Amino acid sequence: MVSRRNFIKTCISTLVGISCSELFFRAPTSSGAGRRQIPVLVYHRVGYTTDNFTVTPERFIADLRTLQQYGYCAISLEQFQSFIDDRDVEMPDKPILITFDDGYIDNFENAYPILKQHGMIATFFIITDKLWIGDRLNPERIVEMAQGGMSFGSHTVSHKRLGELATAEINDELAISKAVLESILGKTVNAISYPQGSYNENVIATAQKLGYVTGFTVREGVCSNNSPDFELRRIPIFKYDIGIESVMARRGGI
Ligand SMILES: [Zn+2]
């Protein structure tokens, strides 16, 4: 959890680059939570691998700088969940939730230092069966990132398509990953990112029963506090995207 003082400091650091131009980002300026929309970005890897889910560190830096120039302030998963739940929560004028799926080690080696340099925070969805595999985040890294203000959620145990599983398997994927992450972090984990965006009513009902409060899809769009809690839309970021402005304009619906 980011302290109030650090949170305000983070927001102040973004003020330097604020532009009045809202050509691409028509973020509401109202302080009323009921009228606000929050874009949720989803990255996967930050490095030099060649697949479409990897962006270079240079590109990630450029994305964060552009977001800051447009006045966006990264918020924590906890702040976002309070907003979705309609609770009164301190919120910057232009909030954005930055997420990462799959828990690659480059999230720690490349993305985390860049986020810190820019006073930004992000949320990482972890596949718990891969926690001790070389190219993924291990528990030690996760704890270090959490202490640095980063948030974490489940991306299930084994990354199977939840919408195609029997109820018992869905239950195991959601319950075991939640318990493992909670034991690492020493706090409640209550957000799920559906692997490959696969979910159905049974997945949602099981997640709710287990104590999850938000579910993130890969359907494109922005979130409002009217969004269904377990069908939250995100804005995917790919290697071939030219820049964050065009991505948000095309996929964000704002
Ligand atoms: Zn995934």
Side-chain angles (χ1 to χ4, degrees), residues 44 101-102 127 155 159 194-196:
H44 285 76
D101 277 6
D102 295 353
I127 306 164
H155 200 37
H159 206 256
Y194 309 116
Q196 302 170 68

Side-chain angles (χ1 to χ4, degrees), residues 24 57 80 104 116 129 132 135 184 188 202 239-240:
F24 297 107
F80 179 82
Y104 280 96
K116 280 197 295 187
D129 251 6
W132 288 272
D135 68 346
I184 292 169
T188 300
N202 196 20
K239 184 182 201 72
Y240 50 76

Side-chain angles (χ1 to χ4, degrees), residues 134-156:
D135 68 346
R136 308 292 172 132
L137 293 170
N138 62 30
E140 196 180 9
R141 298 303 188 211
I142 288 173
V143 168
E144 186 176 338
M145 291 167 74
Q147 288 169 345
M150 306 296 131
S151 307
F152 290 87
S154 167
H155 200 37
T156 74

Side-chain angles (χ1 to χ4, degrees), residues 24-194:
F24 297 107
F25 306 108
R26 290 187 290 107
T29 52
S30 165
S31 60
R35 293 185 292 280
R36 195 190 295 275
Q37 289 185 317
I38 300 183
V40 181
L41 304 181
V42 52
Y43 289 91
H44 285 76
R45 307 192 65 172
V46 175
Y48 296 101
T49 46
T50 54
D51 64 85
N52 278 336
F53 293 102
T54 305
V55 299
T56 63
E58 292 77 13
R59 158 79 189 286
F60 189 55
I61 290 169
D63 283 358
L64 295 189
R65 286 187 179 160
T66 301
L67 290 171
Q68 292 189 321
Q69 283 165 3
Y70 280 96
Y72 277 95
C73 186
I75 59 170
S76 69
L77 177 63
E78 293 77 9
Q79 284 176 293
F80 179 82
Q81 288 177 320
S82 294
F83 161 77
I84 289 293
D85 205 26
D86 251 343
R87 277 176 278 145
D88 191 25
V89 60
E90 185 179 22
M91 195 69 78
D93 278 346
K94 294 178 77 169
I96 189 165
L97 182 69
I98 300 171
T99 71
F100 284 80
D101 277 6
D102 295 353
Y104 280 96
I105 189 67
D106 60 43
N107 293 180
F108 174 80
E109 293 171 343
N110 299 331
Y112 179 47
I114 293 169
L115 285 160
K116 280 197 295 187
Q117 284 161 14
H118 292 79
M120 304 278 260
I121 51 178
T123 297
F124 299 82
F125 290 99
I126 304 297
I127 306 164
T128 56
D129 251 6
K130 297 189 185 291
L131 275 170
W132 288 272
I133 292 176
D135 68 346
R136 308 292 172 132
L137 293 170
N138 62 30
E140 196 180 9
R141 298 303 188 211
I142 288 173
V143 168
E144 186 176 338
M145 291 167 74
Q147 288 169 345
M150 306 296 131
S151 307
F152 290 87
S154 167
H155 200 37
T156 74
V157 174
S158 63
H159 206 256
K160 292 192 183 107
R161 292 177 61 84
L162 291 173
E164 298 170 9
L165 300 181
T167 302
E169 275 186 287
I170 295 168
N171 191 82
D172 285 352
E173 289 284 340
L174 296 180
I176 295 170
S177 58
K178 186 177 195 293
V180 168
L181 288 169
E182 287 179 347
S183 73
I184 292 169
L185 292 162
K187 60 182 280 196
T188 300
V189 171
N190 55 16
I192 174 78
S193 161
Y194 309 116

